[in-house]
Amino acid sequence: MFEELNNKKYSKAEILQMKPLALAFVGDCVYELYVRNFLITEKYRDVNELHRKSVFFVKAKAQAYILHMLEEELTEDEHNFVRRGRNAHPHTVPKNADVVDYRYATAYEALIGYLYLSGNSERLDYILRKSIEIGRMRDESRK
């Protein structure tokens, strides 16, 4: 889905030079776009419902949950980027988010940013598909 959007594949060395919050900045955008694309292919057509569903998938608590569910499947490199993202110190935390969830959400977004910028589209696609699957299971368990 994202191959045609990413004009430059960054080397691991270049990505390691980037701040974790910059990786999370990119990862946030990639994940949000993936979720929105997924939702418009589902039965949701009302914009308000699309927004509610989107928020359910992208809020800090959901991203933290997804990351915890994915942890055993991550490679050593991916764990390192997750750790860097989790240990980053954002200057603010949204009022609706728990600090621990927010740190794990930042870690998740840093992971997505790393995979996107490295051009590892196959692994990125797997992680995003798995994330949606985990999010759907979480959504179903609420009902």
Side-chain angles (χ1 to χ4, degrees):
M1 176 178 163
F2 294 106
E3 297 86 20
E4 61 277 357
L5 295 177
N6 193 358
N7 294 332
K8 179 173 179 3
K9 179 181 176 186
Y10 293 84
S11 70
K12 185 176 174 187
E14 289 173 306
I15 295 172
L16 283 169
Q17 296 298 312
M18 296 178 187
K19 294 183 185 289
L21 293 177
L23 295 174
F25 174 75
V26 172
D28 175 58
C29 177
V30 170
Y31 182 59
E32 176 95 26
L33 183 57
Y34 192 87
V35 166
R36 288 178 180 215
N37 188 59
F38 160 72
L39 290 174
I40 63 166
T41 64
E42 292 290 296
K43 63 181 183 249
Y44 313 110
R45 294 292 180 253
D46 176 64
V47 173
N48 291 322
E49 188 174 3
L50 284 169
H51 177 71
R52 277 192 303 281
K53 286 288 186 184
S54 174
V55 168
F56 176 78
F57 277 92
V58 302
K59 65 184 177 182
K61 187 173 213 56
Q63 290 179 348
Y65 179 81
I66 289 166
L67 181 59
H68 287 303
M69 298 300 288
L70 286 171
E71 273 184 315
E72 289 184 14
E73 295 188 49
L74 299 180
T75 66
E76 186 177 336
D77 272 352
E78 291 167 348
H79 273 289
N80 289 333
F81 281 98
V82 164
R83 181 185 42 75
R84 287 182 65 211
R86 188 186 65 236
N87 292 337
H89 295 287
H91 297 291
T92 60
V93 175
K95 63 182 175 190
N96 303 1
D98 173 81
V99 174
V100 174
D101 284 344
Y102 192 70
R103 288 211 168 171
Y104 277 94
T106 302
Y108 174 77
E109 291 172 348
L111 169 65
I112 299 300
Y114 157 65
L115 292 172
Y116 175 76
L117 292 172
S118 68
N120 192 345
S121 55
E122 197 171 296
R123 182 66 174 163
L124 174 63
D125 189 55
Y126 174 79
I127 294 292
L128 290 172
R129 285 178 191 271
K130 191 81 171 168
S131 297
I132 293 295
E133 183 182 309
I134 292 166
R136 290 177 90 175
M137 288 186 314
R138 183 173 169 262
D139 189 25
E140 291 298 317
S141 70
R142 290 185 327 153
K143 295 177 181 174

